[in-house]
Amino acid sequence: MTETLAPVRPAAAASAWHEPRILWTRRWTDRLFSFAVERPESFRFRSGEFIMLGLPAEDGAGKPTLRAYSIASPGWADELEFFSIQVPDGPLTSRLGRLAAGDRILLGRKPTGTLVLDALTPGRRLFLIASGTGLAPWLSVLRDPDTWERFDQIVVTHTVREVRDLAYREFLTRDVFDDPLIGDLALGRLSYYPTVTREPFERPGRITSRIDDGSLFSDLDLGPGFDPATDRAMLCGSTAMIRDVAALLERAGFTEGSNAAPGDYVLERAFVG
């Protein structure tokens, strides 16, 4: 009797996406919001990396709408947190801003990026310089205990247009010190330096100006300026801010780093035009 074999079917191709559920959302303003999604069991990343997020085409047939997002949660966290601006006519953010807990999004499988500690040479003082939603990777790096093992002091700057745009302000001034992993490490070693450009504030103006005129350093009693022998910097935010601060760092003798060749400062080239 001849045994009949069933035809072998090719294995289904692995999806290019995870499809986690949203766990929570938080509105900071009518334009700014944060949200967190489930962390897939196989998902691994280094604090400071970014990933592609998206939503399926609204007609169900076209290509998904995608955008790169820095992960705001640290590498050890059980959930993946993101910080976003909502553009009224934005093809992705206008839809993301309407989602709620329980909705699903598309999450890429390959995190990457240069805003990681591995791209920096050893130092003693770390400057995390952000504008707008560029604060997101610093929330990740800051909450990683490894950061506090590598640096004696951490300075987080955040430049926004209006005071209400200072998302995470309470966390950076109060709640971080109650964090069970890094709270004690941050005491006396973390400096938070917000600046506002379009309305009155205790520290007005662009961070570039406050670096250039020395205000950043005198306000925090940090000495005369950047020192490439001891200081390291990471930049994320608007293209103009990154360009101008990078020029100030280069003028001070800093060299740009990467994953392949660590240096004194890093920026995310994938986000910079």
Side-chain angles (χ1 to χ4, degrees):
M1 181 175 180
T2 303
E3 182 178 1
T4 302
L5 299 178
V8 177
R9 296 180 180 177
S15 170
W17 307 98
H18 297 289
E19 297 186 35
R21 283 188 294 265
I22 292 177
L23 298 173
W24 55 261
T25 64
R26 175 173 180 176
R27 273 279 166 189
W28 302 99
T29 70
D30 58 343
R31 298 170 61 248
L32 297 172
F33 66 100
S34 295
F35 62 97
V37 304
E38 300 167 318
R39 178 172 180 166
E41 187 174 343
S42 62
F43 191 88
R44 299 290 182 271
F45 71 100
R46 295 177 297 172
S47 297
E49 289 189 312
F50 71 88
I51 190 68
M52 298 302 293
L53 292 183
L55 291 170
E58 293 188 90
D59 63 8
K63 294 182 178 180
T65 304
L66 306 171
R67 179 183 168 187
Y69 271 86
S70 291
I71 304 170
S73 46
W76 53 262
D78 293 331
E79 62 184 31
L80 302 176
E81 182 177 349
F82 301 94
F83 179 32
S84 180
I85 188 169
Q86 184 174 0
V87 179
D89 297 322
L92 178 61
T93 64
S94 62
R95 296 171 61 197
L96 274 181
R98 298 194 299 267
L99 298 182
D103 292 331
R104 291 186 181 274
I105 66 169
L106 302 177
L107 173 75
R109 293 181 176 272
K110 295 181 179 180
T112 188
T114 55
L115 300 180
V116 294
L117 296 179
D118 291 342
L120 292 175
T121 53
R124 295 203 295 270
R125 187 167 62 181
L126 176 62
F127 289 85
L128 302 175
I129 299 174
S131 63
T133 56
L135 183 68
W138 309 158
L139 297 167
S140 176
V141 171
L142 179 68
R143 289 185 277 185
D144 191 326
D146 189 38
T147 305
W148 297 95
E149 292 181 8
R150 297 195 191 194
F151 293 94
D152 298 329
Q153 184 178 14
I154 298 175
V155 178
V156 178
T157 80
H158 189 202
T159 298
V160 297
R161 295 178 178 181
E162 301 176 353
V163 176
R164 67 181 186 143
D165 297 332
L166 290 172
Y168 293 94
R169 189 178 183 184
E170 286 188 3
F171 171 75
L172 291 165
T173 57
R174 185 190 65 194
D175 297 345
V176 64
F177 302 108
D178 295 324
D179 186 284
L181 281 183
I182 59 99
D184 290 342
L185 297 173
L187 283 171
R189 299 169 62 193
L190 171 64
S191 297
Y192 168 59
Y193 194 84
T195 76
V196 177
T197 62
R198 294 194 180 180
E199 63 181 17
F201 188 64
E202 59 195 87
R203 297 189 182 107
R206 301 173 64 220
I207 190 62
T208 314
S209 300
R210 301 189 73 84
I211 292 171
D212 199 26
D213 68 13
S215 299
L216 167 64
F217 306 97
S218 60
D219 288 347
L220 298 179
D221 194 23
L222 298 176
F226 289 128
D227 182 352
T230 58
D231 294 341
R232 300 295 175 262
M234 307 174 93
L235 316 179
C236 191
S238 72
T239 299
M241 184 278 288
I242 292 174
R243 180 191 63 233
D244 292 348
V245 174
L248 291 171
L249 290 168
E250 294 276 350
R251 192 172 74 190
F254 283 60
T255 58
E256 184 181 347
S258 67
N259 283 296
D264 305 322
Y265 78 96
V266 290
L267 53 89
E268 187 51 73
R269 293 265 171 210
F271 295 161
V272 178

